[in-house]
Every structure is written in structure tokens, then in C-alpha cells.
Amino acid sequence: MKTNKNSLKNWILTSALLTNIFIAHVAFTQDRESDMKMIFDAIERYNEAWRTKNVSLAVQDYSGNIHWVNSVGDVKMTRKSLEVYLSFVFTLDVVMNQKRLSQSDQITYLSDKIGVVHSLHIESGAKYYHLRVFSKEGDSWKIINHLVSREHPKE
């Protein structure tokens, strides 16, 4: 009889543990889906800002202090300095006439509060790679680092 009580006790404990693991996994998955949506929405707002030359929209999802570097080596360390810089860039026809042909994004989470996104943009035949680091600030994700690199043909 003692063996049956121990078996039943072990079964109940195991069932409770598995139930808690399942609930935690579902909550984690739902949080990740919500996080992914927020991050991809931020990237889409940035892309839309470039299409419409909307500087406010372009900087909306950046944290106050950032590290932003473009493919020609311009560096901006605050959202405000990036806003001023993009106000100038959005007036340059040579930059703004580029046509984005495709884009792909991949997220890697380093923790619950840090996500890294690798993006490939193909614009007018050139490949641009974006590396963004997002930090969860409260209930939203903010870009704290953004590096843009352009692939140059090898001959």
C-alpha cells in the first residue's frame, strides 16, 4: 500500500511540475510573439519613414542615448542628433532615390530584455546589412545600437 501512495504522490508532483512548465512555456511563447511583433513594427516604422521622408517616425523607436553608424561612417550618439542628421539625409536625392527591392529580418534574443536583429535590404541592386540591438524599456522595445553596412563587390 505504501508503494501505491508513493507512486500516486510522485505522479501528482510530476503532473504539477509538468503543468507549471507548460504554463510557463505558453506564457514565454506569447511574450516572445508580442516582443517580435513590437520589434518588427519598429523596423517597419523605420522603413516607412524612409519611404515617406518622415524624420519623426524614423527616430520614434530609438532610445535617447544610442550608437548609430551608417555605411559611410557617420556616427550619432543621441536620438536628437540622429533626427538632425536624417533631416539632412532625407533631402538628398542620391540617397532617397534608392528603391528597396526586398528585405529580410532575423531576431536573436540575448536575454528577456535584449534582442539583436539582422536585416538585409537590397536597394537598387546594392546589399545593405543592418544590425540593430533592441533593449526592452518598460513595455516597449527601443533601438540602442544600429549599424548599417554596405556590401561592396569583390573583384
Side-chain angles (χ1 to χ4, degrees):
M1 191 63 121
K2 195 168 197 166
T3 304
N4 287 341
K5 281 187 181 181
N6 283 341
S7 294
L8 179 60
K9 190 178 188 180
N10 287 340
W11 183 84
I12 290 171
L13 288 173
T14 302
S15 295
L17 178 62
L18 290 173
T19 300
N20 286 336
I21 290 171
F22 176 74
I23 290 169
H25 173 72
V26 169
F28 178 79
T29 302
Q30 288 172 340
D31 286 348
R32 278 293 182 247
E33 288 174 8
S34 174
D35 291 343
M36 282 179 69
K37 181 174 179 356
M38 284 190 270
I39 289 170
F40 283 141
D41 286 351
I43 292 171
E44 182 50 38
R45 282 189 292 274
Y46 183 81
N47 293 339
E48 178 64 20
W50 276 79
R51 286 189 290 271
T52 61
K53 300 179 184 180
N54 183 332
V55 174
S56 296
L57 186 61
V59 300
Q60 172 181 324
D61 294 294
Y62 284 87
S63 187
N65 294 313
I66 60 172
H67 193 163
W68 182 95
V69 182
N70 69 5
S71 62
V72 295
D74 296 320
V75 178
K76 303 301 167 203
M77 300 301 284
T78 66
R79 180 177 51 223
K80 183 63 181 166
S81 65
L82 179 60
E83 183 176 2
V84 170
Y85 178 75
L86 291 179
S87 294
F88 166 70
V89 169
F90 285 179
T91 67
L92 301 174
D93 288 340
V94 68
V95 174
M96 300 311 294
N97 288 339
Q98 300 288 317
K99 301 297 178 208
R100 176 144 321 138
L101 304 174
S102 67
Q103 176 178 333
S104 63
D105 304 297
Q106 292 181 320
I107 298 177
T108 302
Y109 292 98
L110 303 180
S111 73
D112 289 344
K113 297 191 179 284
I114 301 290
V116 177
V117 180
H118 292 87
S119 303
L120 168 62
H121 298 184
I122 299 178
E123 298 176 5
S124 300
K127 290 182 180 178
Y128 290 86
Y129 297 90
H130 292 251
L131 177 65
R132 294 178 182 93
V133 178
F134 282 80
S135 175
K136 192 163 192 181
E137 297 179 3
D139 291 335
S140 64
W141 286 86
K142 295 294 183 183
I143 303 166
I144 59 173
N145 286 279
H146 188 168
L147 172 66
V148 182
S149 177
R150 180 174 182 214
E151 180 179 86
H152 295 281
K154 317 296 185 281
E155 296 186 39

